[in-house]
Amino acid sequence: MMDLFDTPGEELPASDAPRPLADRLRPRLLADVIGQRQILGPEAPLTVMLKANALGSIIFWGPPGVGKTTIARLLAEETDLKFVQISAIFSGVPELRKVFQAAQNRRDNGQGTLLFVDEIHRFNKAQQDSFLPLMEDGTLVLVGATTENPSFELNAAVLSRAQVLVLERLSADELELLVQRAETEAGRVLPLEAGARRAVLEMADGDGRSLLNLIEQILAWDLQSPIDQRTLSTRLMRRAAVYDKSGDSHYNLISALHKSIRGSDPDAALYWFARMVQGGED
């Protein structure tokens, strides 16, 4: 439901609208979030903040599909803040002004705002600086999400007022829990043999949203019996390996290659080398 100070684009989807599996399985409580125990565990940063009723501005740094948006939304619910989401890709100065004014109006009426900014690193320096006054006076709690290293992509002034929390790719066991939730939601078991089931987890490459998209495709198939890994590979394409030629993935893979060579592990060295070449490395 919208309040008096909502801006266009904040409406919730109609309850009878078609919803992807990833949206239907979105956790309703922080305790339901799969993975990310390093920030959500009993003594982890977010848990400590919430217990002390002192949620501050945060930058979530991590790969796609690991729960950045979901955790931000749940933080707003836990703290009774109005959740507002914008994307740095589509938002400019006029949109920011409207969001800021709405947040100030809410504050005047006794309600706080949690502003979630997806791809926050895409905002330029002036746009990032515009958040500072509202962060300092408590008009809003900023939660930014980025797949890039915040130390390189965000202003020092923003970083000094926010805590950077690192989110990790989901492990195979965590992805399996997600599969089980999807099967419960669907009311049936995925028609996959054991090898094919493991292959689906590998295809997701630690990305929960990607896994749920794969599951949604599989559930749509009209199968009379479980299929094996070979049949699965003809029906689904493996997710492209994440790689960039100058960003975090580039340096992470180079580091892994160097460590494998120094550790005298030829198999690992060849694997990381192949990953880089396949990703387009010179």
Side-chain angles (χ1 to χ4, degrees), residues 65 70 132 231 242:
T70 295
L132 300 178
T231 304
V242 176

Side-chain angles (χ1 to χ4, degrees), residues 38-102:
Q38 74 282 1
I39 65 171
L40 291 170
E43 298 299 325
L46 287 182
T47 304
V48 172
M49 284 185 191
L50 293 173
K51 284 182 178 178
N53 195 27
L55 181 65
S57 292
I58 300 165
I59 302 297
F60 286 142
W61 174 25
V66 296
K68 295 187 289 292
T69 304
T70 295
I71 294 173
R73 187 182 297 276
L74 294 174
L75 285 175
E77 294 180 5
E78 292 270 351
T79 52
D80 293 325
L81 296 174
K82 172 67 179 180
F83 180 79
V84 179
Q85 178 177 352
I86 62 174
S87 171
I89 299 175
F90 302 110
S91 301
V93 173
E95 291 80 7
L96 286 177
R97 286 175 178 163
K98 292 178 182 178
V99 169
F100 294 163
Q101 184 60 57

Side-chain angles (χ1 to χ4, degrees), residues 6-7 20 52 57 63 121 194 205 207 215 228 234-236 245 274:
D6 283 339
T7 54
S57 292
H121 61 275
D205 193 26
D207 183 331
I215 291 173
D228 59 19
T234 64
R235 288 172 171 251
L236 288 178
K245 292 188 178 181

